Amino acid sequence: MIDIKTKISSFFLFNSSFGPKEGEELKRILFFHPKDVSSDARKTQVGLCEAVVKFMCTFSTEPCEALQTQTKRYMFYQPEEDYWMVLVANIPYTTKAHTSTGEGQAEFACNHSDRNSSRGGNCQQCNNKTQCHSSLEESYSTHPFPEASIMSNLLVSAYNTFRMFMGPLKDIPIENIYSICEKFFTPFIQSRNLCNDITEVIKGVNYLPLDKNCFYKVICFIDLLEINYPDFNCISFVYNDKLIWNGLAPNDMLTLYQYLVESLLPSQIEKELQGGAVAAAERHGRFISPPEGIRYKEDLQNLTKIHVTREDETESKEYYLIIYRTLSATVCFTIDVKTPLDIESFRSLDAFIGPQLSIIASTISEQCAVNALQAAQLINADHKFVYFNRLNYAFKASPSLNKLVPSTTLKPEVLSIIAGIHGDRQSLGNYGEVIIKTPHEYWITGKSSNNREFYVVIQEKNANLKEIADEVRRISESQLKGIFFYPM
Amino acid sequence: MSSSSIDNVQPSTSAQNNTSDELEPGACPDSILDPTDSFEEFASEMSSSLQSRHIALTTKSSTISEIQCEINKDFKESSEIKSTKSSEDLQNKNDSMSESGSSSNLIDQNNEELDSDKEDYLHSPELINKEKHVFILSSAGKPIYSRYGNEDKLAGLCGVIQALVSVVEDQNHDILRSITTKDCKTVFLVKGPLILVAISKSNESETQLVLQLTYAFNQIVSVLTLTQLNRIFEQRRNYDLRRLLSGAERLIDNLLIFMEKDPAFLLGAVRCLPLPEKSRESITNAITSTCNKIRDLVFAILIAGNQLITLVRMKKYTLHPSDIHLLFNLVRSTESFKSAESWTPICLPKFDASGFLHGHVSYIAEDCQACLILLTVQRDAFFPLSQAKHTIAEKLRRSNCLGAINDALNRNEDLPTTNPLRHIGILEIRHFMYKCKSTAQLFTSDPVSIDRPQDNRTRPKEGGDIVEKKIEKLSDIDYVSNYRKFCSQIHCTSTPAKLIFRSNSDNTILAWVTNGFELYVTFDALMEKDQAIKAVDRLLRWIKKEEQRIFIMNAPTF
């Protein structure tokens, strides 16, 4: 029950227009994971997906999203015309119906326990030697299945990250595309699992709330920097894994944030923990992207390029990405690729930011300690909540939902229900509320008001609708001061 | 009913139920219907593996021959063993099969048109922009049925569907289940020698669509029997089944419309015609007293307006709701039953998919639109059954039951069940739907109005288009289609729910399932929770009070 991770069964990219003739099918496959699949098997897989996509074109103008077979789920994503990304995971069609007896002869576990208890007799429906399961959890823990929305989120974030670092697929020349995909997607997909966690269902950004003075200091620092170094634009300011300031369009901000929090910073922190002495010497900060830092002229050749849209611009442009880190504060800058680079300006920037940033970082850390103390008093360990704002991707979850404490994560059934509410915006409309009770006495409340969403999970055996609604109101008042939900 | 299992949402209700009666509204110890949930069946269906699927379809004991055996035990002199009968029927069908051989070749040639023509046809007004397509084809890829358009022109599409299904089966050793886009679901069901496909833009869930395809398959079985269907394709894989199904297309057309509109299919339950307890009793008595001497009679069913009035059965045997739905559909779709007494072979797939029952079908009287179906295993029992029908009709007229049936059918304003919401007096409730699980019966605040479909097959071919309509006042059908999502969440195999309360700017819907019942209620928008609790409480009390009238509370036998 602790953390549910499923290996990705396969992941591939194809473009049918790359090998239109028979015999050229392999050319259509831009990338295929895992590597040990024979080329015939690859052709079959991709061929099936091509056929499915084409078949659905006849009946729907929307692109194909999913294919479900008895044992597998295929998720499709068409980020650019004719380019398809497919993620495959092993998911039996009726999840409850499988016991751990092994594949092929899965027995149907029927759930007639309700009727049993009401009639006091034996289970009449189970005349074909089936097993009666009263405990759902059992079958869940042996068969973890990722939510469909988690799979499609992974596809979307894979593409967005690819586009941020490599640019749109259609701009890459055909002769390079295979090697570029190989270089990018192999490490990407190997580092990922399908993990049943609320943060994978609702992809959001953790903002760090600061008091006025503290926030003002951050803003002043950024302004001063941009005035003194006009070539450098600050695009984000992150403390630990929380965002304080952003200069990108929301979608790119989310992609950069995920890159920082999910891959760059964890590896950086690991490095810092290993080389304690080195870290102390680097107390005053350093460039962490490129990974070797920027000390000599040659390092300028290694600068990472990204394709992003800045907050005040309308289209995506290519920039150099520079990331600087002191203590727990991480700052990202962009430089237009057309700007001539000069090692001196980087050295002077280092000297300018280093001391200033470490002062700000310690101020923030003091405030965080105060905030944490206050938050600790509000926590009710039994109740979990999630807040999400679709406009700025603001995400806030009850502390126990934190990945660091996996033993208290949500049960898959609960997660699945939240994913269902989150995925179906229409049914709540601009404002609405839904309360769902599961057979295991979980009460899941979902509220929606314009673009804001709020979910609360309460496990309570003898409650009624009214009591649950009152409890949700109490949590909302204490945790989300000033955020308005209608109906109350 | 254990009160602990009931949610405390309605504490007073559970308390009241416990004191006044052991059972929830509508429940009775004995049921005429087999209350197996179609959802449970669906789950077992869907969990079957590739190998077991084929076995399941062929190995099932025949209920009909069981009945015949029992009768023969008593009646040694009836030397004519009926089990030979079905093979005779097969013989006849085989003759027609060989005739069709040559013509199916012709069709093959016609199909070899240009690919582009087929593409064009798929985008023709006959097919484009439909809310739900249903295609049935043989496992060899031959078109059998299309809800819209002309099957002949769809050979190309059927070829594609067949190829998709077989690629997944042969190369991946897997079973194709569904494909989805944002606005459209395609669901595949392979049943014996047939492939059934639904392509839908409605809000029905995958499970609900598979259920509908299963019904369509059962409708075909009901015309042919499963034995015959399997036999035909064993002998000739390439057989053009349309030859044998002429006439059944209309039944499938109507069934599909019926399923989209009537909540009975959604809940796997049967709706009963609300009648005073006394009237229903005397109707049942009239049937049992007349028929108890007819040995081979298995079921006597009286229906009116897609509602069950009574069902008298042979001991030990019950009917599954889905078989009754097929009977409703047959009666509703066959105008000729109105003009004369009919004698027709009927296969009830849940009861016994391998053989035919013989049915005497007739309307009870000129002035009463109730239809009596007498089902027997005896092939030549038309005259005794016809006689029995007249006796029953006479008894009903004398006891004034025809009047009671007509009152209920015409929705006489004086009856409390005609406009239950007004009668209960809860203004906040706009619509409700209640199913008693143990007896598989349902009651809704409004009977679903289904236009009587016309007999010619052109009509359902038109219509079915997706129309953007601004809804001013919801019809009963709109309410029911709003419940679909709730229904599928409650019956979801992996993450079921016991209670859903959803309120938005349009309405407030409560779906609640307990051991004994399922209840779906639509309230005004933004309903307060405590008010909703009180309203549901009153509603359940009313149903309890009227249960004798709105449900069939006993299970009579001959």
Side-chain angles (χ1 to χ4, degrees):
Chain A
M1 239 0 265
I2 292 182
D3 62 339
I4 284 168
K5 286 179 176 169
T6 315
K7 276 263 180 300
I8 291 156
S9 163
S10 56
F11 168 78
F12 46 90
L13 259 86
F14 68 88
N15 183 334
S16 303
S17 64
F18 280 15
K21 288 190 204 125
E22 215 169 310
E24 291 179 334
E25 289 90 349
L26 274 181
K27 284 193 189 160
R28 301 176 191 173
I29 308 171
L30 304 180
F31 175 78
F32 201 99
H33 169 87
K35 290 281 157 280
D36 54 5
V37 174
S38 75
S39 54
D40 274 350
R42 290 180 190 198
K43 273 192 241 172
T44 319
Q45 285 262 39
V46 172
L48 174 67
C49 292
E50 284 180 299
V52 162
V53 163
K54 193 145 182 267
F55 176 74
M56 285 311 275
C57 279
T58 321
F59 297 99
S60 170
T61 47
E62 300 282 339
C64 187
E65 272 183 349
L67 162 67
Q68 175 78 52
T69 70
Q70 185 74 7
T71 60
K72 285 189 171 71
R73 183 191 288 143
Y74 296 65
M75 293 300 290
F76 293 77
Y77 179 50
Q78 184 188 24
E80 294 169 35
E81 204 186 340
D82 287 341
Y83 289 88
W84 287 90
M85 297 167 75
V86 184
L87 183 66
V88 189
N90 292 315
I91 297 163
Y93 187 60
T94 43
T95 50
K96 209 175 77 179
H98 287 252
T99 58
S100 46
T101 43
E103 44 106 30
Q105 38 161 290
E107 282 173 289
F108 171 48
C110 53
N111 198 6
H112 297 132
S113 48
D114 286 358
R115 189 167 288 132
N116 279 348
S117 55
S118 67
R119 291 255 172 116
N122 53 347
C123 196
Q124 302 140 338
Q125 314 303 322
C126 305
N127 41 14
N128 49 344
K129 293 269 185 303
T130 51
Q131 249 176 291
C132 258
H133 260 253
S134 50
S135 158
L136 272 174
E137 277 137 275
E138 221 175 71
S139 50
Y140 274 126
S141 53
T142 47
H143 292 276
F145 313 118
E147 279 297 311
S149 62
I150 291 178
M151 292 176 68
S152 59
N153 281 346
L154 182 66
L155 281 174
V156 171
S157 94
Y159 172 73
N160 285 345
T161 318
F162 180 88
R163 197 195 47 199
M164 190 168 83
F165 288 104
M166 305 295 167
L169 285 160
K170 63 175 166 36
D171 293 351
I172 300 171
I174 289 187
E175 54 273 24
N176 296 343
I177 199 159
Y178 302 96
S179 59
I180 288 177
C181 285
E182 191 67 54
K183 207 174 108 200
F184 178 83
F185 285 115
T186 306
F188 184 91
I189 213 69
Q190 279 170 356
S191 68
R192 291 293 191 284
N193 272 314
L194 290 168
C195 176
N196 263 353
D197 191 280
I198 186 72
T199 54
E200 301 293 323
V201 174
I202 303 174
K203 283 287 194 182
V205 172
N206 268 309
Y207 285 88
L208 182 66
L210 291 174
D211 70 14
K212 277 180 223 152
N213 280 337
C214 206
F215 187 65
Y216 195 56
K217 277 182 189 156
V218 174
I219 298 295
C220 283
F221 163 74
I222 293 167
D223 281 350
L224 197 62
L225 192 143
E226 287 187 344
I227 286 166
N228 287 326
Y229 300 90
D231 290 341
F232 292 81
N233 282 303
C234 180
I235 52 166
S236 86
F237 191 116
V238 172
Y239 185 81
N240 279 337
D241 58 349
K242 292 193 162 69
L243 187 72
I244 295 176
W245 199 87
N246 158 55
L248 291 178
N251 214 4
D252 284 331
M253 178 264 286
L254 183 64
T255 310
L256 181 69
Y257 174 80
Q258 282 171 2
Y259 165 70
L260 291 177
V261 171
E262 286 168 15
S263 29
L264 184 72
L265 293 181
S267 66
Q268 196 63 35
I269 289 165
E270 206 169 299
K271 234 189 263 176
E272 283 165 20
L273 288 175
Q274 281 169 355
V278 186
E282 288 177 348
R283 168 78 46 93
H284 282 303
R286 71 234 169 265
F287 294 102
I288 57 169
S289 171
E292 285 75 37
I294 303 171
R295 286 180 207 140
Y296 312 105
K297 208 164 177 226
E298 294 72 47
D299 291 333
L300 292 180
Q301 305 301 314
N302 299 331
L303 288 186
T304 316
K305 284 181 190 167
I306 57 168
H307 303 251
V308 288
T309 313
R310 292 172 46 82
E311 204 174 29
D312 46 3
E313 285 169 3
T314 50
E315 57 186 42
S316 162
K317 273 203 267 180
E318 207 174 351
Y319 300 97
Y320 290 115
L321 172 70
I322 292 114
I323 305 175
Y324 192 89
R325 182 171 162 88
T326 305
L327 298 172
S328 293
T330 310
V331 191
C332 302
F333 306 98
T334 52
I335 308 173
D336 197 307
V337 280
K338 296 186 191 101
T339 318
L341 298 172
D342 171 17
I343 188 68
E344 280 312 314
S345 59
F346 281 90
R347 283 182 184 147
S348 122
L349 183 78
D350 186 15
F352 174 82
I353 309 179
Q356 293 233 23
L357 196 56
S358 63
I359 296 169
I360 290 174
S362 23
T363 320
I364 295 172
S365 106
E366 277 163 30
Q367 228 213 320
C368 283
V370 177
N371 285 350
L373 210 64
Q374 285 173 348
Q377 290 162 349
L378 287 174
I379 293 172
N380 181 341
D382 297 340
H383 302 163
K384 304 180 180 91
F385 68 86
V386 177
Y387 166 80
F388 181 62
N389 183 339
R390 285 181 193 261
L391 274 187
N392 62 0
Y393 299 106
F395 178 92
K396 184 185 176 183
S398 48
S400 54
L401 288 175
N402 197 308
K403 274 182 175 171
L404 293 172
V405 201
S407 57
T408 54
T409 45
L410 296 173
K411 296 233 190 271
E413 55 182 298
V414 174
L415 188 77
S416 175
I417 287 172
I418 294 182
I421 305 171
H422 178 68
D424 180 21
R425 286 188 74 183
Q426 242 185 343
S427 77
L428 290 186
N430 270 343
Y431 52 93
E433 173 180 32
V434 60
I435 302 176
I436 297 175
K437 187 196 178 193
T438 75
H440 297 283
E441 315 295 337
Y442 281 102
W443 293 82
I444 297 128
T445 304
K447 278 168 170 269
S448 155
S449 222
N450 294 325
N451 283 299
R452 298 182 302 276
E453 292 167 19
F454 186 50
Y455 304 94
V456 180
V457 180
I458 298 170
Q459 190 175 21
E460 186 77 63
K461 218 176 168 124
N462 294 313
N464 71 28
L465 270 178
K466 182 92 178 87
E467 289 160 12
I468 295 297
D470 290 344
E471 186 60 34
V472 168
R473 188 176 307 139
R474 267 194 294 280
I475 296 173
S476 147
E477 272 161 14
S478 65
Q479 297 288 346
L480 308 171
K481 285 187 209 95
I483 298 176
F484 180 64
F485 277 97
Y486 182 82
M488 285 298 286
Chain B
M1 187 186 70
S2 58
S3 65
S4 64
S5 58
I6 287 271
D7 310 63
N8 283 0
V9 188
Q10 275 84 27
S12 55
T13 307
S14 47
Q16 191 233 349
N17 278 351
N18 273 340
T19 50
S20 66
D21 199 318
E22 288 280 287
L23 298 163
E24 52 279 329
C28 67
D30 213 359
S31 171
I32 39 169
L33 300 175
D34 172 6
T36 316
D37 251 322
S38 35
F39 308 101
E40 289 165 14
E41 275 171 54
F42 166 80
S44 69
E45 168 91 33
M46 289 301 109
S47 62
S48 63
S49 64
L50 205 52
Q51 293 85 1
S52 65
R53 190 170 69 193
H54 300 293
I55 303 162
L57 274 173
T58 46
T59 53
K60 251 191 185 166
S61 63
S62 164
T63 320
I64 290 177
S65 45
E66 189 184 309
I67 296 172
Q68 283 166 338
C69 275
E70 267 176 37
I71 291 166
N72 286 337
K73 253 186 254 163
D74 305 339
F75 257 140
K76 278 279 188 287
E77 67 264 36
S78 70
S79 55
E80 192 192 350
I81 297 166
K82 281 108 204 163
S83 57
T84 54
K85 166 225 70 183
S86 55
S87 58
E88 281 169 40
D89 276 359
L90 262 186
Q91 202 64 50
N92 298 339
K93 297 285 187 185
N94 283 349
D95 294 342
S96 57
M97 241 169 71
S98 43
E99 280 167 39
S100 75
S102 53
S103 58
S104 69
N105 283 340
L106 280 177
I107 292 164
D108 266 350
Q109 280 160 15
N110 287 339
N111 287 344
E112 280 156 26
E113 293 162 327
L114 287 173
D115 256 355
S116 58
D117 283 354
K118 286 171 193 160
E119 280 297 306
D120 287 347
Y121 185 64
L122 287 175
H123 293 112
S124 69
E126 279 171 75
L127 292 176
I128 205 125
N129 202 31
K130 298 292 181 195
E131 192 179 50
K132 192 196 293 159
H133 282 284
V134 174
F135 302 109
I136 303 175
L137 47 139
S138 70
S139 51
K142 256 207 161 48
I144 293 169
Y145 169 85
S146 166
R147 188 176 185 188
Y148 304 105
N150 181 343
E151 299 92 21
D152 281 335
K153 296 187 193 166
L154 289 168
L157 178 77
C158 290
V160 173
I161 294 173
Q162 193 268 339
L164 277 177
V165 168
S166 66
V167 160
V168 173
E169 274 183 24
D170 302 343
Q171 303 194 345
N172 297 2
H173 309 289
D174 210 342
I175 304 172
L176 184 59
R177 291 297 183 198
S178 70
I179 308 174
T180 43
T181 72
K182 216 176 219 73
D183 63 341
C184 184
K185 287 187 199 81
T186 303
V187 174
F188 299 84
L189 180 68
V190 180
K191 276 264 195 187
L194 304 186
I195 300 173
L196 300 98
V197 182
I199 302 174
S200 162
K201 294 189 178 174
S202 70
N203 67 347
E204 286 146 311
S205 74
E206 218 182 295
T207 319
Q208 285 156 2
L209 290 171
V210 171
L211 217 60
Q212 296 185 3
L213 291 179
T214 313
Y215 264 104
F217 176 77
N218 285 344
Q219 182 67 71
I220 291 178
V221 169
S222 161
V223 174
L224 291 178
T225 75
L226 189 60
T227 321
Q228 246 191 77
L229 183 69
N230 285 334
R231 182 95 147 254
I232 289 163
F233 283 102
E234 266 163 37
Q235 288 173 356
R236 263 176 81 146
R237 214 176 148 255
N238 214 18
Y239 185 69
D240 186 359
L241 196 67
R242 282 179 299 167
R243 303 224 113 216
L244 290 184
L245 285 180
S246 54
E249 287 171 325
R250 190 177 35 84
L251 289 175
I252 304 173
D253 285 343
N254 287 339
L255 183 67
L256 291 172
I257 299 172
F258 199 10
M259 286 191 287
E260 280 166 5
K261 299 189 169 168
D262 195 328
F265 292 89
L266 199 59
L267 294 177
V270 170
R271 185 200 299 270
C272 304
L273 185 74
L275 280 179
E277 199 186 347
K278 280 263 159 52
S279 309
R280 203 187 305 277
E281 210 169 280
S282 40
I283 294 170
T284 310
N285 285 340
I287 294 176
T288 37
S289 61
T290 314
C291 297
N292 61 358
K293 294 205 183 65
I294 308 173
R295 302 195 61 101
D296 307 326
L297 198 58
V298 190
F299 294 110
I301 307 160
L302 189 64
I303 64 175
N306 300 319
Q307 298 167 88
L308 190 63
I309 295 173
T310 190
L311 190 161
V312 188
R313 67 207 172 90
M314 200 178 246
K315 270 197 198 75
K316 286 205 300 190
Y317 299 103
T318 54
L319 267 186
H320 191 277
S322 88
D323 282 341
I324 296 193
H325 292 153
L326 289 182
L327 287 175
F328 282 166
N329 188 48
L330 177 73
V331 169
R332 204 170 66 95
S333 315
T334 317
E335 286 289 319
S336 62
F337 288 157
K338 284 196 170 158
S339 49
E341 291 175 38
S342 311
W343 183 243
T344 174
I346 300 169
C347 169
L348 296 175
K350 291 276 175 181
F351 179 70
D352 183 354
S354 66
F356 283 115
L357 287 169
H358 298 272
H360 178 277
V361 187
S362 61
Y363 282 82
I364 204 86
E366 286 279 310
D367 55 348
C368 180
Q369 289 300 301
C371 181
L372 180 70
I373 307 168
L374 302 168
L375 293 171
T376 174
V377 289
Q378 179 84 16
R379 252 190 119 188
D380 42 16
F382 178 82
F383 291 104
L385 291 182
S386 172
Q387 180 126 42
K389 180 246 160 171
H390 287 288
T391 318
I392 293 168
E394 196 47 46
K395 283 182 182 169
L396 294 188
R397 190 174 293 283
R398 256 184 288 142
S399 58
N400 208 14
C401 292
L402 296 186
I405 294 173
N406 278 336
D407 275 352
L409 272 180
N410 300 331
R411 303 179 59 68
N412 189 324
E413 284 296 325
D414 299 338
L415 297 172
T417 47
T418 298
N419 202 333
L421 289 179
R422 198 183 303 156
H423 195 259
I424 307 165
I426 312 172
L427 297 172
E428 299 90 347
I429 296 183
R430 294 179 181 173
H431 184 271
F432 74 86
M433 169 165 113
Y434 175 92
K435 175 193 174 184
C436 173
K437 279 162 116 184
S438 60
T439 55
Q441 296 177 21
L442 91 151
F443 183 70
T444 61
S445 58
D446 239 344
V448 173
S449 46
I450 300 164
D451 321 332
R452 182 159 278 276
Q454 286 167 14
D455 247 356
N456 60 26
R457 189 163 141 67
T458 51
R459 190 175 156 266
K461 293 268 168 181
E462 294 151 16
D465 289 302
I466 298 165
V467 273
E468 289 284 334
K469 55 172 179 182
K470 185 74 199 134
I471 299 161
E472 271 144 24
K473 188 181 180 303
L474 289 182
S475 73
D476 37 1
I477 293 164
D478 295 323
Y479 283 116
V480 170
S481 64
N482 279 343
Y483 294 138
R484 283 175 187 157
K485 199 177 281 168
F486 292 84
C487 207
S488 75
Q489 181 147 16
I490 279 199
H491 293 284
C492 173
T493 41
S494 55
T495 56
K498 289 184 84 173
L499 176 113
I500 307 173
F501 176 90
R502 188 197 76 183
S503 97
N504 62 23
S505 53
D506 296 330
N507 53 34
T508 300
I509 296 178
L510 175 83
W512 184 26
V513 57
T514 70
N515 292 334
F517 64 83
E518 284 175 39
L519 177 67
Y520 302 81
V521 189
T522 309
F523 300 97
D524 291 340
L526 304 173
M527 179 85 172
E528 278 299 322
K529 279 131 215 144
D530 39 356
Q531 264 182 292
I533 292 171
K534 280 190 204 122
V536 166
D537 191 20
R538 277 177 69 189
L539 176 59
L540 286 172
R541 262 185 249 182
W542 182 85
I543 296 174
K544 184 75 196 163
K545 198 180 102 214
E546 297 291 336
E547 63 179 0
Q548 292 290 350
R549 191 187 282 270
I550 56 188
F551 296 117
I552 299 177
M553 299 289 289
N554 51 8
T557 55
F558 293 123

